[in-house]
Each structure stands twice: as C-alpha cells, then as structure tokens.
Amino acid sequence: MKTLSLFDKMNSQPYYERLEEWKKETGKKIIGCWGLYVPEEMIHALDILPVILFNGREPITLGAQHWQSYMCGPVRGVTDLACKGKLDFLDGMVIHDCCHEIRGSVDIIKLNAHNIKYIKPIWFPKILKQKQTKQRLLEELKKLKGSLEDFWGKEITVDALHRSIEIYNENSDLMAELYEMRRRHPGIMKAGQMQHIILAGMQMPKEEHNQLLKDLLSEIRTDSFSEDERVKIILSGSLCGEMPEEILDIIEDVGGCVVDDDLYVGSRYFLTRVSDGNDPLEALADRYIDMVPPCPTTQDPSNDLGQYLVNMVEKSRAGGIINIITKFCEAHCHIYPWVRYACRDAGIPELLIETEHEVTSFDPIKTRIQAFVELIKGE
Amino acid sequence: MEEQRKRYNRLKCTAQISGMMDKFYEDIRRAPSEGRKVCWCVGASPFEILAAQDVASFHTENQAARISAGQEHMYYIDKAEKEGWPTDTCSYTRINVGSALYIVEGQWREDHERYRVPKPDFIWAGNTCPAMVQWADSLRRIFDVPMFGVDCPFIYDDDDETYMKTVEYTRSQLQDFITFIEENTGRPYNWDALNNIVFGRMRRIAEIRAEIDELCKRKPAIMSAFDQMIAMGPYNQLRNQELVEFYEEMLLEIKDRVKNGIVALPDEKYRLMWRGNFPWYAVGKMSRWMAPQDICLATSGYGFGGVGPHARGLFPPDGFGTDDDPLTFIAWNVTTRGYTRTLDFKMREEVHEYVDGYEIDGAILHSPRSCRPWSMQEYDMAKLIEKRYGIPVAVIEADHTDPRYYNEASVDLKLQALIEIIKERKG
C-alpha cells in the first residue's frame, strides 16, 4: 500500500528534524503541544500548525540535569530536547498541566530553553463533574485564546474555530473508520504501522492527514483477509508517549495481534469528537468534560476506565488486555489497580508492562508477553 | 568519645506530642460508637470546617507518616502493592490504601491498634497535588462512601487578579462542601463553631507562630527543625483548645530558653535548612548524625504551619480587606501553598525566607522518589540557590515513607560532602 509506506517513511526520521524541514519549506509557524489535552483546534484556527511533542528516541543527557531518573521518560525527554535546542524550531509551546511533572516542566523549560519565545501553561479542572467545572474550564479556554491572540496579533474568529473543529472532527471520523476496519480485519496492518499513522497525524496539518487517510482507506482491500487466527489483544495506556515499537512487534511475533487500543498514540487521541454547537469554546470545554476514554489524570466516577476497557474487549472479542504504564506515571499508577480488579471480575486476562525511555533489553518483556499469549490460547 | 554523645537539646513540650497524637487517634476510633461521623482527609484539608461540625477527621498522610515513624510501613506497603498499586505510587498512598484494604477485609492486626482508624463515612480530597483526588477516589471505591474533592488550580500567573480568583474558586467549592457535610451529618452547619475555631483558636496560633518564628531565627538556634517537624503533627489536624494550649506552652518554653540562654545545640557551628517532606523512618538517624558534628538543622518549611506567606497558617500577611469570612481564609490556606506555585514564587517567598531569615550555611533538598510535588524542579532550585545565595546545596534522593529508596551510604556521602564544602568556606 503506497500510503502506508509513506507513513512508515515519515516515522523513520526524528520528528523535530522533519518538522524543521517542513517549516523551511512552507514558511509556516509551529506550536508544540505538550501535555494530554491542549485544544489544538484553537492553534489551528490561527493558521499555525499545532504538533504534539514527544520524547525523542535518543539518549537523555541534558534532561538528566533537570530531572531525577525516577521521573517519566516523556517529561525527561521533552525537557532534554528543549534544553538541547532541538525544539528551537518551535514558535511557541502550549503546555497542559495534566500531571505534576508536566507542571514542573513549565518553569524548567522556561529557564533553560531560551529560544522558545512563547510558553503558555494551561490548567484544566481535574474533577470533571463538579458544579463549577465547566465555567472554570471556559475561563481557562478564554484565557488561552486571549493569550494566543495577543502574542500573534490576530483574532481567533468564531468562524475559523468552527472550521478547525470541523477539520479535526473529520480526522476523528476517518481514524474511527480505520479502527473499525482493523477490528474486523486486524491483519490490515501491523500495530507499529497504526502508530506511525497516528504519530504522523499528530505532527502534520490535519487537512493533509485527512487526505492521506482517505487514500489509505481506499487502498485497503479487506476482502483479501480471511478469519484471523491470532490471539486478539487490546493495549491500553502509554500516556504522553509512543509505544516502543519493539513491544508492538513482539506481540505479533509471539502470535498475537492488536485488534483495538486505548493508547495515547492511539484511540485516546481521536475518539472524542467535538460536538460543534453555536459556541465553539463551549464545545471544546464539553469535549474535555465528556471525554470518551476515561483518563487517569481526571476524576469522574461516571466514566470508569476498567469498565470502559471491559466493554472494549467485548466489542472486539479480544482475548486479553495489556496495560502499558509509562514508568513513573503516577496518575496511571493510581487507576491501574481498578482496571486490574475490573478485568479480574470480568474474567479477562490482563498483563501489566511498564515502559521506560531507557530499555536495556526487551527479552524479559518478550517472555512475559509470550506467556500471556500462550495463556490466552490455552483458555 | 565526648563528641559522640552530643544530642539536640529537645524542647520539653514536644515530649507530649506522641501522647497528644495517641489521644487524637483514640478519639477518632471512639467516634462511631459516639454517633459522630468519620472523614478521611487526603491532601490539603480544611480541618476547621470538619471540626466545627464535630466530624472526626484525620489526615491520611499523617496516618502514613505515623506508621512509618513506628517502622511498620512495609506491612501496609506490601498489601497495597500485592493488590496492584505500583511501586511508583506515592508511598503515603500505598501505606494508607494498604490500611484501608486491611480494614475492609476485617484483617486488622491486634498489635497495630494505635494505627487503626474507623471506616470513613465520607472522604475529602484537596487536589493541590493532582494525585490526591485519585488517591481519595480509591478510598471512595474501597469503602463505597461519598467523596468530596476540591480542585486547586495551579497559579501560573503570579498577579493579584489570578490569585484572588483562585481563592474565590476554592471558596465556592468549600461552600458546596458545607452543603455536602450538612447532607452527610444530617444537621445544619455550625457556623458559630467555625468562626470560633478560625478567628479564636487559629488566629491565636497564628500569633504564637509568628512569635516563635522570630525567636527561631536567633543564633545559635533556640529549637531545631527536628522539633519543628514533630510539632507539625498536631497542627496539621487538631483544632481543639488543647492545640492552642500546647502552642502556648511551647512559646513559653522558647521564651524561657531565650531568657536562660538555652539553645538547641550549644556548640552550633553550621546551620542548615531542609526543604521537602521528611524520610520519617530516618529522622532519628539523621539527627544523631548531625548533632555530634555541631550541625544544626535550623529550619524547614515542612515544620508546623508552613513557610513564607503561609507561616501564619490561615492568615495571610496582607489580609484580604475583609476579616469576617472564615471560608475565604481557609480557601486561601488550602489553595495557594507551594504545591500549586511556580518555581519563581517558591524561590521568592519560601527559599528566601529560610536562607535570609535564618542565615543558613547550606541547604538540604529532599527529593522523595514517590512524591512529585516535592521532588520536581529540585535540581534547578539547587542551582538557583547556589547562584543567588552562594551557599552549597545537597539534593538527597530518598522517599518520605518507603525506606527501600533510602540509601544510607549515599545520603551520608552527600551530607558529608555538603559539610566539607561549608567548612572549607567558613574556615
């Protein structure tokens, strides 16, 4: 498939290098989005490219001067790239403080990455279903809007915001279609390739990504896929970071296949569409408050992650769940036991893998995943 | 050998604290049989509000610290980890959740009676650290009881408008908490009692604290930070008259020390500050290491009351222009502390107060592995302190209540190196 190999190719280059080249070619501006829920549409409406920032795939050196080794890879890694000057191509950064480490990174990046001229942290309520939540969230969104407008001397009009929301919603719909296809025919692509597609979408204009997705969807001929005999697995987690592709390959090497996911670089990114009403800011606030995948960084007893994953397993007829905790992600640590209880109660096999930026060997992980897949096969 | 026997001259009144805390927890244990409701409080907590309605409430962090100081932490940590709480979860959480799991399973150890607390009727969460609401949510699920959380915004913009808006936002949530308490206790809220606690007891303690603070700046130090940190236990939870009496007695003893020239360490040579929470299981060891070398741990923001603008508890130095609304004071205290403030604020309002006010020779920054609010930014803070004040800093990596992360040899080495640098500089 032509388009699929295009995504693979994009993924082979460090993202900051690719974006720097893109910027030179197009002369356009780029804002880095750091933290789980930056409302990208608002940046897009200014005709600036919002890109999701990740830790690089290189050793963390300068970042280690600012963070203890027991802070998560994404926080240490993004700080590292910023301090090394590898994010100097950014025209600005918007940081959503979804956890305490990301909060802390605001000052550290401000102090040590002088070439990024605009750094705007935003706080969103963590308790989602309180009387005050929406009002407060709207105030925060208005503050961000005002700050962006002031810095770039340009108004974010209601029309422009509506248009951006529409483009992002179209992206959600196309991704959902692709995921539905994978649920029916997990063999349409490797899990690593699905990650390439989403990563690309997080770091290129959505209009172009939408076109590529349309091309890809028309290229995929599902009639050539017969019933998949592999063990169907669901992945959940890996917050703020991409999955090490080696792990995705291991799952497939030992006879499993990823049939659906609740990964950050996965369905978590696109599942919540914005219900575009009259007031786009209100719509963006509602998107956060009524997010579809329950988030470990927020609290909402009416939306339980364990139950959500059990439902996902049932919908895709998966054999088990592998929970991926980005090592040292405290938010995920607090919610994980409840996912484990939910799986146990529903009789769903579950495995926990913690991923680190620095991996010395994938062998122990392979052994565990292999045993897990065998266990499901045996049932 | 003479040197080895040197010890900190502890304030006599601090000997009562253990008994006070035992009594406090005994009172909590009695609450259900006396028909009083029980609230477990996670994070920054408005004990004034709960005490005024006669709700028996305690700080889950304190229960964990108490278990750790009694060296019994691993029994509870193991339980939580066995149930799935990963080792990177806050160790206070793991201890407290471990205890909650033992309670619901009816598996409490008889010899751990002093750590036992009754099942909660409801839960409070003060979300200054975003993990607090997750911790409280786990307790809600374990006990199947209602929970009330207050969301505390991080104050990125240090201007007056943002600051007052934040206080007002917290205040409006506290107002809802009052309704929640009324619903859960089945009677109207006792505003008179709240006014008495806030504007009577807590204001008096703020005055005492201000006096103690000034006296503590003397050289040599009147009391060590080890005494200050122990004095924090009652302050963090008790809101009764006994608390006021205790601090009155503490003030008298300190004044008496001034009069009679009694100090914490007679041969004090080096003065250090401590930032961060304490590795409770290692506090004794650390004080026994410092005293023989004439090192005085002179101050710590983790002592009773807080530091900088929060040193006087509920009462900000500049007031609010209004002094009759207890909820505004409580909102201010709950929501504007260092946990939700920028590095610039912490350097300006907290670090400066220690270094300048207490004439410190060196600083220890404790970086607890499982507590992000304290450990984040510490490397940058260390560099800023060294640069601005010219004093050496040791960042020690350990944990508040998980001793598996306390490497004694490494901590000793870092502290020894800190002292050597200070000696070199002071001559």
Side-chain angles (χ1 to χ4, degrees), chain A residues 328-346:
Chain A
F328 308 116
C329 172
E330 197 185 11
H332 206 166
C333 287
H334 280 272
I335 208 78
Y336 167 69
W338 300 102
V339 171
R340 191 170 176 242
Y341 286 136
C343 290
R344 186 194 59 191
D345 294 347

Side-chain angles (χ1 to χ4, degrees), chain B residues 19-87:
Chain B
M20 271 172 91
M21 297 312 292
D22 282 345
K23 213 174 124 196
F24 168 75
Y25 279 101
E26 278 162 24
D27 180 67
I28 305 262
R29 282 193 288 274
R30 270 199 314 274
S33 65
E34 293 172 352
R36 285 183 292 144
K37 298 288 181 189
V38 176
C39 176
W40 288 31
C41 296
V42 185
S45 306
F47 287 103
E48 301 79 20
I49 292 179
L50 291 154
Q53 190 77 342
D54 203 19
V55 175
S57 35
F58 70 94
H59 207 211
T60 48
E61 287 91 324
N62 180 270
Q63 186 222 14
R66 189 173 151 84
I67 288 171
S68 179
Q71 308 291 333
E72 296 289 354
H73 32 252
M74 288 316 298
Y75 175 65
Y76 299 92
I77 287 176
D78 284 345
K79 174 71 178 168
E81 290 181 0
K82 217 171 106 190
E83 287 292 320
W85 271 264
T87 53

